[in-house]
């Protein structure tokens, strides 16, 4: 009998990785594997998930790809952090190992076009342009960004600056390597900004910045935004309470889930003992796609990679298809649903849709 098919899963489960995001991603992956196996597995064999913690470390992720390749996984899945997924994608491409990226949005996931890598989440340029359009539509033209040094944040700034400039907006960058939260507040007043975007890590320095701005009377009318999605997770609300409401962010799910999504949401809520984030749905959909491919093409890695353009899977958030998208070097679902939402100040556990697409 053929060996059980293996999927290697890359997930940030320890700090400095975003542990809550990793926990949600893994919950979605594991739930989908369980359901595949409850339905008979792959050609009568149980699907197995081999999990490796990346801890937001690109070098650790690349080493994990080498290890998983040696263990005989048919494909790789997962990862949340863009710079980590980029390292994993480069190594997977070099080894000829199919990689379905769940949740990392950096446009340049690979340096050159490749057939070995596909992606479920939208490219950063797609989602962040939508966010810039939301800002312009809300009347914001003077935007400040509190930013840390990172390829991901630098890419986001370029996208925002280009899109906002086309609508008459300007972006001023506040270097969080030089400023503390009080200095951010003073800079916002000096620049006359009407919106501050948090392009920084969570909880630090995001939470102290939000607290400082919320408590500065000079900035009572300032919008705080977080396009990367920090307010999606319960830790945000737990640390900030009411001060964490009304912070718009990008969320990759529709206003109404598919019937599959409704059922999966209930199972994820039970598994997580909390409302599942869109990242959990990304994890589930990743395995749903790979299971479909494995049923049709077996565990041959080359056949899996060749199958990306023929994928047709009903996911939790809509029909999943992959295509070649200008400027994107991997097979891309173009596009998952994108919303701009925030936590309702009157009920911080509830999300308000501010800008559906």
């Amino acid at each position: 009998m053929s060996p059980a098919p293996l999927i290697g899963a890359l997930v940030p489960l320890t700090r400095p990785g975003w542990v809550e995001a990793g926990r949600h991603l893994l919950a979605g992956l594991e739930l989908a594997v369980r359901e595949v196996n409850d339905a008979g597995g792959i050609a009568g064999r149980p699907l197995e998930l081999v999990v490796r913690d990346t801890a937001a470390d690109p070098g650790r992720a690349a080493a994990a790809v080498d290890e998983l390749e040696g263990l005989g996984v048919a494909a790789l899945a997962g990862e949340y952090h863009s710079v980590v997924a980029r390292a994993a994608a480069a190594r997977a491409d070099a080894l000829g190992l199919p990689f379905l990226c769940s949740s990392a949005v950096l446009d340049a996931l690979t340096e050159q076009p490749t057939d070995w890598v596909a992606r479920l989440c939208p490219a950063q340029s797609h989602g962040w342009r939508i966010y810039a359009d939301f800002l312009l539509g809300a009347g914001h033209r003077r935007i400040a960004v509190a930013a840390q040094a990172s390829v991901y944040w630098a890419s986001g700034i370029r996208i925002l600056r280009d899109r906002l400039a086309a609508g008459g907006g300007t972006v001023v960058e506040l270097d969080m390597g030089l400023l503390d939260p009080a200095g951010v507040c003073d800079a916002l007043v000096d620049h006359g900004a009407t919106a501050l975007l948090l392009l920084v890590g969570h909880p630090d320095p995001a939470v102290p910045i939000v607290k400082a701005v919320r408590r500065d009377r000079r900035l009572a009318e300032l919008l705080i935004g977080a396009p990367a999605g920090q307010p999606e997770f319960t830790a945000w609300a737990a640390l900030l309470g009411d001060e964490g409401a009304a912070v718009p962010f990008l969320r990759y799910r529709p206003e109404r889930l598919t019937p599959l999504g409704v059922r999966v949401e209930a199972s994820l809520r039970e598994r997580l003992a909390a409302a599942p984030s869109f990242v959990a749905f990304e994890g589930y959909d990743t395995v749903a796609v790979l299971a479909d491919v494995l049923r049709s093409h077996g565990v041959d890695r080359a056949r899996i990679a060749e199958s990306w353009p023929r994928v047709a899977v009903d996911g939790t958030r809509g029909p999943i298809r992959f295509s070649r998208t200008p400027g994107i070097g991997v097979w891309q679902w173009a596009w998952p649903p994108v919303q701009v939402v925030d936590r309702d100040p009157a009920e911080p556990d509830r999300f308000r849709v501010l800008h559906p697409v």
Side-chain angles (χ1 to χ4, degrees):
M1 184 178 289
S2 61
L6 305 177
I7 294 175
L10 303 173
V11 187
L13 295 174
T14 54
R15 291 185 58 79
W18 196 338
V19 174
E20 189 174 9
R23 190 168 65 89
H24 280 237
L25 178 58
L26 183 59
L29 293 166
E30 290 180 335
L31 174 63
V33 168
R34 188 188 76 185
E35 292 187 358
V36 167
N37 290 336
D38 287 348
I42 308 296
R45 301 289 291 165
L47 181 62
E48 294 185 15
L49 199 65
V50 185
V51 180
R52 292 296 179 267
D53 174 20
T54 64
D57 183 332
R60 184 165 170 171
V65 173
D66 284 342
E67 180 195 359
L68 291 165
E69 193 274 340
L71 292 174
V73 301
L76 296 173
E79 195 45 49
Y80 177 80
H81 297 284
S82 281
V83 293
V84 179
R86 187 173 65 164
R91 195 68 195 129
D93 183 37
L95 293 171
L97 182 57
F99 175 29
L100 179 51
C101 181
S102 304
S103 195
V105 301
L106 194 68
D107 280 42
L109 200 57
T110 56
E111 292 296 328
Q112 301 294 332
T114 177
D115 287 324
W116 291 104
V117 182
R119 176 164 55 187
L120 279 177
C121 53
Q124 187 180 22
S125 58
H126 178 71
W128 287 45
R129 285 170 187 156
I130 290 170
Y131 195 91
D133 292 343
F134 157 73
L135 292 172
L136 292 169
H140 295 284
R141 297 294 185 276
R142 295 183 65 81
I143 315 298
V145 296
Q148 291 178 303
S150 160
V151 171
Y152 174 60
W153 298 129
S155 171
I157 291 169
R158 286 194 299 272
I159 294 163
L160 291 167
R161 182 172 280 124
D162 290 348
R163 191 70 164 195
L164 289 165
T170 60
V171 173
V172 59
E173 185 174 348
L174 308 181
D175 185 349
M176 294 312 301
L178 302 175
L179 295 173
D180 62 10
V184 170
C185 292
D186 291 339
L188 291 169
V189 173
D190 291 343
H191 289 290
T194 66
L196 168 67
L197 306 186
L198 301 171
L199 308 192
V200 295
H202 171 74
D204 292 316
V207 168
I209 293 171
V210 172
K211 288 182 176 180
V213 171
R214 292 293 197 218
R215 298 169 190 182
D216 192 319
R217 293 182 181 179
R218 300 173 298 172
L219 302 172
E221 302 301 317
L222 182 87
L223 173 76
I224 304 175
Q230 296 95 323
E232 168 81 2
F233 296 96
T234 54
W236 175 274
L239 289 168
L240 284 166
D242 292 346
E243 291 180 323
V247 178
F249 64 94
L250 286 166
R251 197 182 200 206
Y252 305 131
R253 59 173 286 175
E255 202 157 359
R256 289 200 175 107
L257 295 165
T258 67
L260 171 64
V262 171
R263 178 180 64 74
V264 167
E265 182 175 42
S267 297
L268 286 169
R269 186 181 294 271
E270 182 178 351
R271 179 175 284 257
L272 290 163
S277 69
F278 67 84
V279 178
F281 292 104
E282 290 173 332
Y284 184 96
D285 287 341
T286 300
V287 170
V289 168
L290 289 176
D292 184 75
V293 170
L294 289 168
R295 291 188 191 102
S296 301
H297 302 285
V299 297
D300 182 85
R301 292 168 176 172
R303 293 188 66 198
I304 291 170
E306 291 166 0
S307 74
W308 299 133
R310 295 188 293 278
V311 164
V313 172
D314 291 329
T316 60
R317 297 163 296 145
I320 298 171
R321 310 285 189 275
F322 296 116
S323 61
R324 286 298 191 185
T325 303
I328 309 297
V330 303
W331 288 97
Q332 176 72 54
W333 179 13
W335 299 101
V338 177
Q339 304 170 324
V340 179
V341 306
D342 70 0
R343 290 182 176 272
D344 188 343
E347 191 180 342
D349 287 338
R350 189 179 79 85
F351 295 103
R352 303 184 299 185
V353 178
L354 307 175
H355 188 75
V357 178

